[in-house]
Amino acid sequence: MLTIDELEKAGPGTGAHPGDGSSSFRRILVPVHSPGESGPALAVAARICGTTGGVLRLVHVRTCDPPLPISGRFYLETAGEAAAVLEEAMLTAWACGGPRASTLVVSARHGDVAVAIASQAAAWPADLIVLTRRPRPAITRLILGSVADQVMRKASCPVLAIPARQDDRKHRPT
C-alpha cells in the first residue's frame, strides 16, 4: 500500500456547534468511493463531528491490479481523478456541517480495499469508521462479500454502516 497524497484542510465557518468532548467519536474516518455514493456517510459523519468537535479523515482507495504478472501496476484512475473525488467529498462534508477534515489517497490491490481502509483507520487512529453500504444482490454478497462487511470484520474500531439513499437504489441497474 502506497500513500500518495494527504492534505489538512480547515472547514469554513458554518456554525457547527462544538461539543463538550463527552463523546469518544472525535476522529472519524469515511471511505469515499465516489461522492454521490458516499453522501449519506459523509452527512452522518459531519453531524457527529459537529456535535463532538471532531475531525474527519476522508480516504479514497485507488485500486491497482497488474494486468499481467509483471512488476508494473495498472490503475483504473489517475492520481488527479482520485484527488478530484476527494475534493468533491470534502465539499459535500463542508455542506453538511463544515467539520475540520483531511484527505488521503491510498493505493491497494482490488481485493485489498477493506484491508487498506482498516489499516488507515488503525494508523490514524480513528475512533469510528462511517461508510455507506451499497445495495447489492444477495447472491453477490453471499459469494463475494462486500467491502463494508470486510471492513466491519477487519477494523479495530467501531464501524457505522449507513444505507444508500433511496433514490440511489432506484437508479442502480440490477
Side-chain angles (χ1 to χ4, degrees):
M1 192 165 20
L2 169 70
T3 302
I4 297 174
D5 188 21
E6 182 175 358
L7 302 169
E8 185 74 31
K9 296 190 177 184
T14 58
H17 300 289
D20 60 358
S22 61
S23 173
S24 62
F25 300 134
R26 297 181 54 88
R27 296 170 64 88
I28 301 174
L29 185 133
V30 181
V32 178
H33 179 64
S34 70
E37 288 181 6
S38 305
L42 288 167
V44 169
R47 264 183 288 180
I48 293 170
C49 283
T51 59
T52 64
V55 63
L56 285 178
R57 171 77 130 206
L58 307 179
V59 175
H60 178 68
V61 180
R62 191 176 108 163
T63 57
C64 62
D65 283 319
L68 298 171
I70 58 174
S71 61
R73 290 196 168 138
F74 174 72
Y75 292 95
L76 297 176
E77 65 184 352
T78 66
E81 290 169 336
V85 166
L86 284 173
E87 288 295 324
E88 192 173 334
M90 181 75 76
L91 292 174
T92 301
W94 284 345
C96 296
R100 290 181 304 129
S102 61
T103 61
L104 182 69
V105 176
V106 180
S107 296
R109 289 186 178 268
H110 185 72
D112 294 334
V113 172
V115 172
I117 293 168
S119 297
Q120 289 303 315
W124 184 36
D127 298 322
L128 176 68
I129 299 173
V130 180
L131 51 81
T132 302
R133 240 188 127 93
R134 297 185 299 181
R136 296 179 66 173
I139 191 72
T140 305
R141 233 180 10 254
L142 181 65
I143 294 171
L144 301 174
S146 71
V147 171
D149 291 338
Q150 293 174 26
V151 169
M152 286 184 227
R153 284 192 295 273
K154 296 177 186 313
S156 59
C157 64
V159 177
L160 177 60
I162 308 297
R165 281 181 255 160
Q166 200 63 263
D167 56 344
D168 290 343
R169 293 180 193 165
K170 288 183 211 170
H171 301 316
R172 193 163 294 281
T174 55

